[in-house]
Amino acid sequence: MKNNGGQEPKERKLAMLRFIDRYRREHGMSPTVREIGEHLGLLSTSHCDYYLRKLEEEGLIERQPKRARTIRLTEAGLQAIGGVAQESAPVPAMDERVAVPFLGYIVASEPLPVEPLVGDETIEINPALLGTVDDGLFALRVRGHSMIDALIGDGDLVLFRHQERVENGEMAAVWIVDRQETTLKRIYWEGERVRLQPANPTMAPIYEEADNIRIQGKVVLVVRRLD
Amino acid sequence: MKNNGGQEPKERKLAMLRFIDRYRREHGMSPTVREIGEHLGLLSTSHCDYYLRKLEEEGLIERQPKRARTIRLTEAGLQAIGGVAQESAPVPAMDERVAVPFLGYIVASEPLPVEPLVGDETIEINPALLGTVDDGLFALRVRGHSMIDALIGDGDLVLFRHQERVENGEMAAVWIVDRQETTLKRIYWEGERVRLQPANPTMAPIYEEADNIRIQGKVVLVVRRLD
DNA sequence: ATTATAACCGAACATCTGTTCTATGTCAAG
DNA sequence: CTTGACATAGAACAGATGTTCGGTTATAAT
């Protein structure tokens, strides 16, 4: 059955992508299979599903099986639209934001007592700034000057990704267990010992037993406001 | 039946509003009645519906009857979240994003020819990171190391606010007229002359006639990705 | 004590929504 | 001509989802 309603499959797929994208932006939710089909002049939900499957296989959309209104464009899908609609600036899809918990402050000098990492304040960050969509992010604002040579200054907002292991030389938020304190340093593993290295020549490194620290997260983004 | 699960009705309504808002931002779609109820510890969808009706009567949410996943906050609902949660920074509404034109690269070393500031690529920035909502922003990615002591490194994304005048010591994108070149430097006004000062001890300042430069914009935000 | 109200529950119901199944029609290749 | 691939329709199905209904419980007021 090759009566394409006047459209080539490729064009129809793009029209479908565009409809989904626009619908989401205009309605704040995804369209249903029936709504998509109606707009494209398809008389059967299964026909619509046929094309949605193809788009999904091609990685241009994603949907949650068996749940209502979950269709959304992937990054590739957005680019597919952008590639054809050159005359309009790419408009980010609705969900292109990451809510990052803001947990307070981290001292980039001497370790100081910091409340357990808990908070309900969030900061919205565009994933494009992160280069990737990450789970397990949290944000801390820096106090102090011990990471100045790493271009992290007092008052900077730093985003961390939760992970319990970092490579030598990577910067991380470190919880020192027996001190009940958290600090931001560059980490170097030295056998049973860990060197917590400031990036500031006037400051001495701190040494701790590897068993006595907990890596809270690795630095992935630094934001500084100057105005 | 006044067992409120430890929450006053007003507080529970706010918790509900917050959950809906956060869910939409994190998942790009609205929660179901069951999801809302689960999060609030309500054991029955009808109980959840009871509160949703109230919120709807109060104009804090809107939903499309009988359709799946259509619950959303109204403007009043968003304000209700922001208005009560004084102890936490206001969370920008979903559409509060500033589309900042990304105009390419700026050289933080020797001035080099740079195309006129034009481009159609944009980067979405949360105004909360800026501290203010500004018109006339543009973004440039840094090339070079001449601003290293100002904690601006190679590859950093820098946001500028269009302005034609900066104070001594402020950092700005500067267009040098007779060279037809743009550079990022710290600016110092010295009578008829301007000193374009690198923040790198290995580099000499550049002097230009004040008439020969045009301030393109002042640095207001620096973003660095490390991962 | 009674009464009224708000809050809460669980079951049932209606419909929405996505998905599967079966069948047909068209086209191209052999 | 046959075969296979692609596109299309409609019906049916399963489960998701919102809503209604009938009831209970706790509290405050009288």
Side-chain angles (χ1 to χ4, degrees), chain A residues 138-170:
Chain A
F138 63 93
L140 292 167
R141 198 169 290 278
V142 175
R143 286 275 163 81
H145 298 277
S146 76
M147 301 304 290
I148 205 80
D149 283 355
L151 309 190
I152 300 182
D154 185 53
D156 286 359
L157 183 73
V158 180
L159 262 67
F160 299 83
R161 183 196 303 127
H162 274 303
Q163 62 193 59
E164 303 191 341
R165 177 80 199 176
V166 292
E167 303 303 318
N168 274 347
E170 288 184 318

Side-chain angles (χ1 to χ4, degrees), chain A residues 167-206:
Chain A
E167 303 303 318
N168 274 347
E170 288 184 318
M171 288 180 285
V174 186
W175 172 254
I176 305 173
V177 179
D178 64 5
R179 293 195 199 187
Q180 296 283 296
E181 294 167 353
T182 299
T183 192
L184 168 63
K185 292 288 184 289
R186 215 183 273 280
I187 312 298
Y188 295 90
W189 307 96
E190 302 178 349
E192 297 298 314
R193 201 168 67 155
V194 188
R195 172 156 52 96
L196 308 180
Q197 180 70 49
N200 184 328
T202 69
M203 293 182 180
I206 297 170

